[in-house]
Amino acid sequence: MFWTRRTTRSTTLIATGAAVALTASACGGVTDGTTDADDYPNENIRLTVGQEAGGSTDLIARAIADEAQSALGTSMTVENQPGANGAIATQDVASQEPDGYELVLLNASLITVTSLVVDEDEEVTLDDLDIVAGLSQDDYIMVANADSDIETVEDMVQADRTISYGTTGVGTASQLAQLLLMEEADIAGNEVPFDSGAPAMTAVMGDQVEVATVQVGEAMPQIEAGTVKPIVVFSEDRIDYLSDVPTAVEEGYEIPISQYRALALPAGAPDEVIETLREGLEEVFASEDYQQFNEEHFLTPAELDGEEVEEQWTEYAELYAELVEENGIDLGGDD
């Protein structure tokens, strides 16, 4: 039986990215789609990541890939194709044969947020993919340079200046969380979008932006090193390992946003292939090394089956569309 863990609404968002990671490690070759599903897998699998190397999504993919040899009996290769919040990579994978040898580590924000920005013909939808399973939840946090005079959201409200802020790109959950905060708190701001969390963190540390909203796992090493300081988290509840940091909800702003990740493959995959991948993921989830990886990178398991992922992400897409409309948010990058 596939291991399923139900999560809160916030928890559902983050699980998306981790699922795609499992596939990437195996890819060494591409098939012509004629391989018998009963023999799957009998060659290398490619797991594509639509973000830069070193970020949370990439690390999750590589953790899954490391366990794939044992779980699936074949190698998995991770390939990074950054750009457009993973849309380029996901569209590439979605266009391949649904034979199980082309996988993608899918971020929920591509489905729930990016769809609010792009034209309909550029939109990536769940109809393009078969979701194997959800992986984990990754919460968002806003940080400032350790030497900044910003300690709280109220400091930003009271600041007699325009606040420059970094996000992980147009159409991302990072951008949505940050823009909602700026709008609800009535803070004058100037957005600087980056392609992922790593360059946004670098910009904060280098005083190129005053604050940035990134995933907690990307921020924690610098928080622990004392080079940046946490201001607010966007999870529904406080995070155990950052128990002194308030949530945006506590501060009076209705912004419960997290990132979820899942493993996916092109739509139309044989049931036998999906089931084999699910069984392999179940073995990965149960491994001590993978569980330790989640703990070390501050990830909350959200190991849902594919059908539940689709249901929850659809619900989040509707919620975020409502928040954007109610607050008059422009996700196109204009201030």
Side-chain angles (χ1 to χ4, degrees), residues 103-245:
L103 306 179
V104 62
L105 194 71
L106 186 64
N107 282 345
S109 60
L110 177 61
I111 305 300
T112 61
V113 182
T114 306
S115 59
L116 302 174
V117 179
V118 299
D119 293 334
E120 186 174 345
D121 59 348
E122 299 175 341
E123 182 180 356
V124 177
T125 74
L126 292 176
D127 292 338
D128 302 319
L129 303 161
D130 284 335
I131 305 297
V132 178
L135 302 177
S136 56
Q137 170 184 338
D138 197 353
D139 294 308
Y140 283 100
I141 186 169
M142 186 174 71
V143 298
N145 187 286
D147 296 327
S148 170
D149 59 357
I150 296 174
E151 301 282 346
T152 65
V153 173
E154 185 60 25
D155 290 338
M156 296 171 64
V157 174
Q158 298 299 325
D160 186 22
R161 63 180 185 274
T162 298
I163 303 293
S164 62
Y165 59 93
T167 69
T168 61
V170 173
T172 64
S174 159
Q175 184 196 38
L176 178 59
Q178 185 72 67
L179 288 181
L180 284 172
L181 179 64
M182 304 300 278
E183 178 67 26
E184 291 189 18
D186 195 23
I187 300 169
N190 178 43
E191 179 187 359
V192 181
F194 297 91
D195 285 336
S196 62
M201 284 295 298
T202 299
V204 171
M205 292 186 288
D207 285 326
Q208 295 171 315
V209 295
E210 294 194 66
V211 299
T213 292
V214 299
Q215 287 149 14
V216 170
E218 294 169 328
M220 281 300 295
Q222 298 305 326
I223 292 174
E224 293 175 335
T227 55
V228 302
K229 55 189 172 184
I231 306 300
V232 67
V233 295
F234 293 97
S235 50
E236 290 184 349
D237 303 305
R238 290 200 182 199
I239 301 172
D240 290 343
Y241 39 85
L242 290 171
S243 59
D244 293 337
V245 181

